């Protein structure tokens, strides 16, 4: 298990996933700095619920304060994520591509790139890892179980950086989940929308099998 001296997780995006990751991280002993697109003042109720180890900030301030960041904005907004404050940091990407919401992205429709691969290109000096994208938000704080529990749920990650994937695995373990590493970001499509591993409660062995069964759908030219 990789040990980090970090204490602060910066969460950029305070929707369903972001707020649940914040609750889980606070419960695991982290400090949280959380941001949304509407301004810190709109997060007063959430921060009050989270308690003294949480505060609201702008996206830039959350990125600056973060030892590790979580990007959990709608995919179409990924280009708004601040670059320089995240230099050298691990960034966990929770995003999935919904063309109905995000608009069509040819690089994704044609299978030339992945959601997290595009974020990595936007954040060239960060270490991006996929995480929390194939679980329903409410289940982040309800489905964890102690290590060794029968039918313990597994979640996946993917990254081009071993230390980033390991951090996600360690965080999952803290929250009560097993981990399967799906490989580099070029393979992260295997754990996204419309694939067998997506939002299905599954054990480690089942997740390994579902990742292997994935088939990439490429839009017709």
């Amino acid at each position: 298990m990789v040990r980090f001296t970090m204490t602060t997780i910066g969460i950029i995006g305070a929707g369903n996933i972001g707020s649940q990751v914040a609750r889980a991280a606070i419960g695991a002993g982290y400090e949280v700095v959380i941001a949304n697109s509407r301004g810190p003042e709109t997060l007063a109720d959430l921060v009050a619920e989270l308690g003294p180890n949480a505060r609201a900030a702008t996206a830039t301030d959350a990125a600056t304060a973060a030892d590790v960041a979580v990007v959990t904005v709608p995919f179409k907004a990924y280009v708004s994520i601040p670059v320089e404050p995240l230099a050298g940091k691990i960034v966990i990407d929770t995003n999935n591509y919904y063309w109905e919401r995000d608009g069509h992205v040819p690089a994704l429709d044609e299978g030339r790139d992945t959601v997290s691969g595009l974020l990595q290109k936007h954040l060239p000096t960060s270490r991006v890892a996929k995480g929390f994208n194939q679980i329903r938000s409410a289940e982040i704080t309800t489905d964890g179980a102690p290590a060794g529990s029968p039918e313990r749920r597994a979640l996946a990650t993917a990254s081009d950086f071993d230390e980033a994937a390991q951090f996600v695995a360690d965080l999952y373990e803290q929250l009560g989940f097993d981990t399967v590493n799906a490989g580099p970001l070029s393979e992260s499509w295997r754990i996204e929308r419309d694939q067998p591993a997506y939002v299905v409660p599954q054990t480690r062995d089942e997740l390994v099998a579902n990742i292997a069964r994935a088939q990439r759908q490429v839009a017709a030219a």
Side-chain angles (χ1 to χ4, degrees):
M1 180 179 291
V2 173
R3 298 293 183 184
F4 288 83
T5 58
M6 59 79 62
T7 58
T8 300
I9 294 181
I11 300 176
I12 302 174
N16 293 334
I17 293 287
S19 59
Q20 281 292 85
V21 171
R23 292 181 182 101
I26 291 286
Y30 293 93
E31 294 184 354
V32 165
V33 181
I34 190 165
N36 65 7
S37 61
R38 295 179 294 146
E41 65 281 356
T42 66
L43 295 172
D45 289 345
L46 176 60
V47 168
E49 175 203 330
L50 293 173
N53 288 333
R55 66 181 177 89
T58 65
T60 297
D61 288 344
T64 300
D67 296 299
V68 167
V70 178
V71 169
T72 182
V73 299
F75 168 70
K76 63 183 177 182
Y78 81 91
V79 293
S80 69
I81 301 302
V83 177
E84 291 304 320
L86 294 174
K89 297 178 181 180
I90 291 171
V91 176
I92 302 172
D93 175 36
T94 77
N95 283 321
N96 291 290
Y97 171 49
Y98 295 93
W99 60 263
E100 304 92 333
R101 174 196 67 188
D102 301 316
H104 280 286
V105 177
L108 300 180
D109 291 340
E110 298 165 11
R112 292 184 283 107
D113 215 326
T114 64
V115 169
S116 295
L118 291 173
L119 181 63
Q120 181 67 79
K121 289 176 180 177
H122 176 67
L123 301 173
T125 56
S126 301
R127 291 166 288 170
V128 173
K130 200 78 173 177
F132 298 104
N133 75 295
Q134 36 108 214
I135 182 173
R136 291 183 175 87
S137 59
E139 296 166 353
I140 293 171
T141 55
T142 62
D143 279 21
S149 298
E151 302 301 308
R152 192 188 200 208
R153 185 168 182 172
L155 300 177
T157 189
S159 182
D160 295 339
F161 299 91
D162 290 343
E163 64 273 25
Q166 187 62 57
F167 179 83
V168 175
D170 290 346
L171 181 57
Y172 283 165
E173 179 64 36
Q174 287 180 288
L175 303 183
F177 300 97
D178 287 336
T179 306
V180 174
N181 190 327
L185 294 181
S186 61
E187 296 296 309
S188 59
W189 61 269
R190 293 178 176 274
I191 55 174
E192 292 186 350
R193 176 192 181 186
D194 296 331
Q195 297 298 339
Y198 187 61
V199 299
V200 177
Q202 56 210 302
T203 65
R204 189 199 307 270
D205 289 345
E206 290 167 340
L207 179 52
V208 169
N210 282 334
I211 288 171
R213 289 197 301 120
Q215 295 186 10
R216 195 164 200 182
Q217 302 298 316
V218 177

